[in-house]
Amino acid sequence: MAVGRSAALKIDWASIGTSLGIRGQTATALQSFKKRNEDARRKVQMLSEQPQEIDFRQYRTQLKNQQVVDEIENHFKGFKPATYDVGRQLKAIEAFEVQAVKNAEETKGRVDLELKDLEKTLKNIEEARPFEDLTVDEVAAARPDIDERTSQLVSRGRWAVPGYKEKFGDLSLL
């Protein structure tokens, strides 16, 4: 049990969500688990700080009615704490763990796909030729929407690109 306590104390709750990229339902479940963990730890700490033994001799010296002290002492000695079956809670924790692992694997899969896509993009950037060396046909092959937009503008009789004069000035005076 001490190993479990020391491991629980070492968890960095603030960074666990961000470092694993946890979002949505998993993040909410993790936050509620953290709250339950902190509440239980606080209760255990509070209860462990309370005195554990009762000095009945002191009560006998202070109280005149010895029968009350004897009765309370008998009840105290006969007290058996209720035992609880924690199997249900353990099953809930195991189910949460299974769901968390499943969500983590899904997140890992999405991150891996994103990394592959970013590596592909990086490779394209590294292998790209300078813009000045590209031909119109290469640009049109890479971005077919440019040709479509140009065809639309020409078909409507618009020969000027919107925003060109504002950005580069009017060269018609030359």
Side-chain angles (χ1 to χ4, degrees), residues 139-149:
V139 172
R143 295 281 311 268
D145 59 315
I146 294 175
D147 266 349
E148 293 171 14
R149 180 74 175 140

Side-chain angles (χ1 to χ4, degrees), residues 107-123:
T107 302
K108 181 186 178 295
R110 288 193 302 266
V111 168
D112 287 344
L113 288 175
E114 190 173 335
L115 281 174
K116 286 179 185 177
D117 187 41
L118 289 172
E119 287 173 359
K120 182 180 173 184
T121 302
L122 182 62
K123 183 179 176 187

Side-chain angles (χ1 to χ4, degrees), residues 11-18 20 22-37 96 100:
I11 295 175
D12 184 8
W13 292 103
S15 66
I16 198 166
T18 55
L20 296 177
I22 296 174
R23 291 186 212 119
Q25 183 181 9
T26 307
T28 306
L30 182 65
Q31 288 295 350
S32 67
F33 180 75
K34 174 189 171 202
K35 183 181 181 308
R36 288 193 316 266
N37 181 2
F96 172 78

Side-chain angles (χ1 to χ4, degrees), residues 35-46:
K35 183 181 181 308
R36 288 193 316 266
N37 181 2
E38 289 173 352
D39 290 345
R41 183 173 292 128
R42 202 173 303 116
K43 270 187 178 178
V44 167
Q45 180 66 27
M46 185 178 67

Side-chain angles (χ1 to χ4, degrees), residues 159-172:
W159 298 95
V161 177
Y164 184 85
K165 286 185 180 181
E166 291 81 12
K167 188 170 184 178
F168 300 107
D170 191 4
L171 299 176
S172 63

Side-chain angles (χ1 to χ4, degrees), residues 102-156:
K102 178 183 169 191
N103 289 343
E105 288 172 354
E106 290 174 5
T107 302
K108 181 186 178 295
R110 288 193 302 266
V111 168
D112 287 344
L113 288 175
E114 190 173 335
L115 281 174
K116 286 179 185 177
D117 187 41
L118 289 172
E119 287 173 359
K120 182 180 173 184
T121 302
L122 182 62
K123 183 179 176 187
N124 284 341
I125 290 171
E126 289 172 348
E127 293 175 354
R129 292 188 313 202
F131 187 73
E132 300 84 35
D133 295 347
L134 294 177
T135 64
V136 173
D137 292 332
E138 290 171 336
V139 172
R143 295 281 311 268
D145 59 315
I146 294 175
D147 266 349
E148 293 171 14
R149 180 74 175 140
T150 305
S151 298
Q152 287 176 352
L153 291 173
V154 170
S155 68
R156 294 182 189 153

